[in-house]
């Protein structure tokens, strides 16, 4: 750990700075104690009057459990489900405060008739009557203005005819309902679903009665809201169901008519048969085409052979024919028989003739059979062609019928979907109506009274102890805040520390404001050389003599920012303390516009600085102050051009000659903000002392004047703060000088 003293120095400085700030705040409060005490007294006095003149109010409270009822909603949802609603309680609170609820209370308790005197006094009735009259008069006046404007703009009066405009005054029931709403308080109990409902009234019995009635009115209101909502829903759903039932009936009739007109009774079966038939026809057509090709080829082969029956018999259809095979065998047998008989008989033998005839007959039968087969083949070929053509026609017809039935079925499907949709919507509405009838009498909000409102025994308002304590605290802190606010708005010089921080100039010293009555600061230092005021000027003298590092300044110009800041008195008193060490001191009154130094010493001003600078005289210029070791050159006759005289060579020559004679030469000059005389004289002296007055010299004035001096490089020795009160005299480092001098 670093224990070097320098490492701890910043913390010590910070603590010292905080302590100084706290002391400054305390001093500021004591400085503005009149403001603080005045504000405290007025505030506390008003609170006392308000507390003891306010009519006592009695508050009755009831505790109620309010939660959402999920029973009826579960019937609609079909399952148990709860959700968190952050706005539920807030909505219920607004409903309790609503005008409908308070009007129910008024009607239920007959507050506007039986208990009307609890809410209206003669003065209040007069006030309400006046307000009603004023309201009516205002409405009539505005109505007249609007009607005149409409006439000027050419707006027809019938354009707004029929609009509901209420101009009736408020009834007693409305006024009492608004009073109840204004005095009603609703507070939720933390971490629970319960709320505390309170009502305040001048009469404790009325407070208790209204509080309990509020709960009943609230329950009636939420039940009426539920009934009104359910009634409207049922009415709407019933009307909608009737519309949907009519739509369903119309759509069903349209579907039936379409089915009857387009013979769609078995449309679904037909849609199943047509694809099957189309497939069978396609298969049969393929077979017919193949068979037709086969017969066509066979018939072409037969035609190519012509009547060459021998080769025709080689065709498979002829070769495989059983009749023809039998005939061939018989012919072969007959030929063998002829061969055998020819060996025995001659050609003309009857046996041979019979055998030949039998053989010829067999050949004829064989030929006939071949021709029959040829004809049969031709017929089969023609039949195959005809069958192919018929199948093609059937297939095309089936396709057309299928396309037609598909188009009709599409329209049928559209109309059937419409029927189904209407039926579903109608069934849903019917089910909702049944559900609404079941849940109509159930409430969405559950309300249980946990604790009823009892008769209040003591008034709740005003709480005298709390009101007086708050009034005292408000008065103290408000007064302190007002004091700081006034101090913040005060832009005048207050102490030397602020001047040092703002401008970086040395504070030569401060001068107290004389509090004693009948005293004159102009002669106070001369009459009481050992007073604290004289000590202030000695401190200024010491700081002034130490302000220059080489040698003490001998020619000093004293000026200020504005008149009446104590510049002339400071010059005279500073000359007195400088002359106490057997020093020769000369005061030159350079304020040739509003001279005052001669009047402080009771000397004539007929001959002075202006006369000398103008070259009118050189004799009797310096005057010795009777009874004091100081001399004075008065300002002389007021000239028309003081600035030109002060810039002359004679002024510079005068300064040189006076410094040869006197140890200190003090120049009393005009304020910096008014004229340029002080800026001109600043170049002729060793340094300038700026005199300021606490509570009068503003920082803006001081900044502007110092800027002018800085621009001309005027040597500023420091600032004298004049007119300080005693409580601030010892603040800052210049208080240390006083303490040191006393030591």
């Amino acid at each position: 750990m670093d224990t070097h003293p320098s490492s701890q120095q910043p913390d010590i400085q910070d603590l010292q700075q905080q302590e100084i700030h706290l002391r400054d705040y305390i001093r500021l409060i004591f400085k503005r104690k009149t403001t603080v005490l005045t504000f405290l007294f007025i505030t506390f006095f008003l609170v006392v009057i308000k507390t003891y003149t306010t009519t006592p109010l009695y508050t009755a409270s009831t505790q109620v459990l309010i939660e959402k009822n999920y029973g009826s909603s579960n019937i609609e949802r079909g399952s148990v489900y709860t959700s968190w609603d952050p706005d539920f309680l807030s909505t219920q609170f607004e409903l309790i405060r609503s005008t409908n609820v308070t009007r129910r209370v008024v009607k239920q308790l007959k507050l506007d008739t039986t208990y009307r005197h609890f809410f209206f006094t003669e003065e209040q009735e007069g006030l309400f009557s006046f307000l009603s009259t004023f309201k009516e008069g205002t409405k009539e006046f505005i109505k007249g203005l609007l009607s005149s404007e409409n006439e000027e703009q050419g707006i027809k009066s019938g354009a707004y005819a029929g609009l509901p405009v209420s101009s009736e005054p408020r009834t007693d029931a409305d006024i009492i309902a608004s009073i109840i709403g204004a005095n009603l308080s609703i507070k939720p109990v933390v971490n629970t679903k319960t709320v505390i409902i309170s009502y305040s009234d001048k009469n404790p019995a009325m407070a208790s009665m209204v509080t309990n009635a509020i709960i009943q009115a609230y329950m009636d209101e939420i039940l009426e809201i539920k009934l009104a909502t359910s009634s409207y829903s049922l009415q709407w759903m019933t009307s909608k169901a009737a519309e949907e039932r009519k739509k369903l009936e119309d759509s069903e009739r349209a579907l039936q008519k379409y089915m009857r007109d387009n013979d769609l009774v078995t449309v679904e079966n037909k849609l199943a048969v047509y694809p099957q038939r189309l497939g069978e026809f396609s298969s049969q057509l393929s077979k017919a085409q193949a068979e037709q090709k086969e017969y066509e080829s066979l018939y072409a082969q037969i035609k190519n052979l012509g009547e060459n029956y021998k080769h025709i018999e080689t065709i498979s259809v002829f070769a495989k024919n059983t009749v023809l095979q039998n005939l061939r065998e018989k012919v072969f047998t007959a030929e063998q028989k002829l061969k055998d008989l020819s060996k025995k008989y001659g050609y003309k033998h009857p046996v041979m003739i019979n055998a030949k005839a039998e053989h010829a007959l067999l050949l004829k039968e064989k030929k006939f059979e071949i021709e029959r087969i040829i004809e049969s083949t031709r017929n089969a070929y023609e039949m195959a062609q005809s069958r192919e053509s018929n199948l093609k026609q059937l297939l095309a017809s089936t396709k057309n019928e299928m396309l037609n039935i598909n188009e009709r079925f599409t329209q049928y499907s559209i109309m059937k979907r419409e029927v189904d949709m209407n039926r579903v919507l109608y069934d849903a509405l019917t089910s909702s109506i049944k559900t609404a009838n079941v849940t109509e009498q159930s409430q969405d909000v559950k309300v249980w009274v946990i604790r009823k409102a009892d008769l209040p025994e003591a008034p709740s308002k005003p709480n005298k102890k709390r009101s007086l304590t708050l009034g005292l605290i408000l008065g103290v802190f408000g007064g302190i805040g007002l004091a700081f606010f006034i101090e913040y708005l005060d832009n005048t010089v207050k102490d030397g520390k602020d001047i040092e921080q703002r401008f970086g100039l040395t504070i030569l010293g401060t001068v107290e404001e004389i509090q004693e009555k009948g005293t004159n600061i102009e002669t106070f230092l001369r009459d009481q050389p050992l007073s604290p005021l004289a000590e202030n000027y000695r401190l200024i003298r010491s700081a002034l003599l130490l302000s220059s590092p080489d040698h003490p300044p001998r020619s000093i110009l004293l000026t200020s920012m504005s008149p009446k800041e104590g510049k002339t008195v400071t010059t005279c008193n500073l000359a007195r303390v400088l002359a106490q060490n057997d020093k020769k001191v000369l005061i030159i009154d350079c304020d040739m516009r509003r001279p005052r130094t001669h009047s402080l010493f009771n000397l004539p001003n007929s001959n002075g600085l202006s006369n000398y600078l103008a070259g009118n005289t050189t004799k009797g210029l310096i005057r010795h102050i009777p009874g004091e070791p100081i001399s004075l050159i008065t300002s002389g006759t007021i000239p028309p051009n003081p600035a030109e005289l002060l810039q002359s060579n004679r002024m510079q020559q005068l300064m040189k000659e006076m410094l040869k004679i006197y140890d200190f030469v003090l120049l009393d000059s005009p304020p910096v903000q008014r004229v340029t005389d002080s800026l001109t004289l600043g170049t002729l002296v060793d340094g300038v002392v700026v005199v300021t007055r606490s509570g009068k010299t503003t920082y803006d004035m001081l900044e502007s004047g110092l800027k002018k001096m800085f621009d001309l490089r005027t040597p500023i020795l420091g600032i004298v703060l004049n007119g300080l009160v005693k409580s601030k005299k010892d603040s800052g480092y210049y208080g240390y000088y006083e303490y040191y001098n006393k030591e």
Side-chain angles (χ1 to χ4, degrees), residues 16 39 54 72 82 94 102-103 130-131 174-175 321 331 366 415 437 589 599 673-674 706:
Q16 291 176 349
F39 187 86
T54 301
S72 61
T82 59
E94 293 300 321
T102 54
R103 283 179 179 173
F130 169 74
L131 292 177
D174 295 336
I175 296 173
N321 189 277
V331 170
K366 179 181 177 182
M415 297 180 71
N437 287 326
D589 189 357
S599 62
Q673 295 288 5
R674 296 298 181 89
L706 292 176

Side-chain angles (χ1 to χ4, degrees), residues 181-434:
N183 295 328
L184 193 63
S185 173
I186 306 174
K187 295 181 180 179
V189 180
V190 181
N191 298 327
T192 68
K193 295 181 180 179
T194 61
V195 297
I196 295 177
I197 302 175
S198 304
Y199 175 72
S200 300
D201 195 87
K202 297 178 290 185
N203 188 292
M206 181 61 65
S208 176
M209 185 169 58
V210 170
T211 303
N212 291 323
I214 283 288
I215 303 303
Q216 185 61 41
Y218 164 61
M219 296 172 65
D220 295 342
E221 182 67 17
I222 58 178
L223 180 59
E224 183 173 344
I225 292 174
K226 174 64 177 178
L227 292 175
T229 305
S230 300
S231 177
Y232 177 77
S233 299
L234 285 172
Q235 182 180 359
W236 181 86
M237 286 189 293
T238 303
S239 175
K240 192 67 176 177
E243 294 179 4
E244 295 302 326
R245 183 177 65 251
K246 187 176 183 304
K247 287 183 180 179
L248 177 59
E249 293 174 354
D250 293 341
S251 60
E252 288 177 341
R253 293 191 187 96
L255 180 62
Q256 291 295 330
K257 183 177 183 300
Y258 182 79
M259 293 175 63
R260 183 173 58 252
D261 294 342
N262 293 275
D263 192 19
L264 296 179
V265 177
T266 58
V267 63
E268 295 182 355
N269 294 332
K270 290 183 177 181
L271 285 175
V273 170
Y274 274 109
Q276 182 179 0
R277 289 179 58 187
L278 191 64
E280 292 179 356
F281 288 156
S282 298
S283 177
Q284 292 177 8
L285 179 62
S286 298
K287 291 180 181 179
Q289 288 178 344
E291 185 178 0
Q292 188 268 339
K293 289 292 183 182
E294 182 179 355
Y295 281 115
E296 182 181 6
S297 176
L298 178 61
Y299 185 70
Q301 186 178 4
I302 292 172
K303 287 182 67 177
N304 290 333
L305 293 177
E307 294 182 357
N308 190 357
Y309 294 156
K310 185 178 182 179
H311 289 89
I312 288 176
E313 289 184 22
T314 59
I315 300 174
S316 61
V317 66
F318 292 91
K320 293 179 180 179
N321 189 277
T322 56
V323 176
L324 193 60
Q325 287 178 357
N326 292 330
L327 289 175
R328 279 198 299 269
E329 291 177 357
K330 289 179 179 182
V331 170
F332 180 74
T333 303
E335 288 178 353
Q336 291 294 330
K337 184 178 179 181
L338 283 174
K339 288 181 180 181
D340 292 339
L341 291 176
S342 64
K343 292 178 179 180
K344 293 179 179 183
Y345 304 104
Y347 290 102
K348 294 182 180 182
H349 190 275
V351 175
M352 287 294 292
I353 294 172
N354 291 331
K356 289 180 180 179
E358 183 180 357
H359 178 260
L361 182 61
L362 290 173
L363 290 175
K364 186 177 180 181
E365 290 180 357
K366 179 181 177 182
K367 181 180 178 182
F368 176 79
E369 184 65 22
I370 291 173
E371 291 177 353
R372 186 190 66 78
I373 292 173
I374 292 172
E375 184 66 20
S376 175
T377 301
R378 186 180 64 79
N379 292 334
Y381 170 63
E382 292 178 354
M383 288 293 295
Q385 285 183 331
S386 175
R387 185 181 179 188
E388 179 186 7
S389 176
N390 292 335
L391 287 174
K392 285 182 178 180
Q393 293 177 0
L394 286 174
L395 185 61
S397 175
T398 303
K399 287 182 179 179
N400 291 332
E401 290 181 4
M402 188 172 180
L403 292 174
N404 188 19
I405 198 67
N406 281 334
E407 291 178 358
R408 287 180 288 172
F409 183 74
T410 300
Q411 183 64 27
Y412 165 81
S413 299
I414 293 173
M415 297 180 71
K416 191 172 186 304
R417 279 198 303 270
E418 184 178 359
V419 171
D420 294 339
M421 183 179 62
N422 291 336
R423 181 177 292 108
V424 170
L425 185 57
Y426 175 71
D427 292 342
L429 286 171
T430 305
S431 177
S432 299
I433 291 173
K434 293 179 180 179

Side-chain angles (χ1 to χ4, degrees), residues 654-666:
L654 177 64
M655 287 296 298
K656 293 179 181 179
E657 293 178 357
M658 294 301 104
L659 287 174
K660 294 178 182 179
I661 303 172
Y662 294 93
D663 296 317
F664 295 99
V665 177
L666 304 182

Side-chain angles (χ1 to χ4, degrees), residues 26 66 103 151 167 198 283 443 592 714 742:
I26 295 174
I66 301 176
R103 283 179 179 173
E151 290 176 1
S167 60
S198 304
S283 177
Q443 295 188 20
M592 292 184 288
T714 302
K742 288 180 180 180

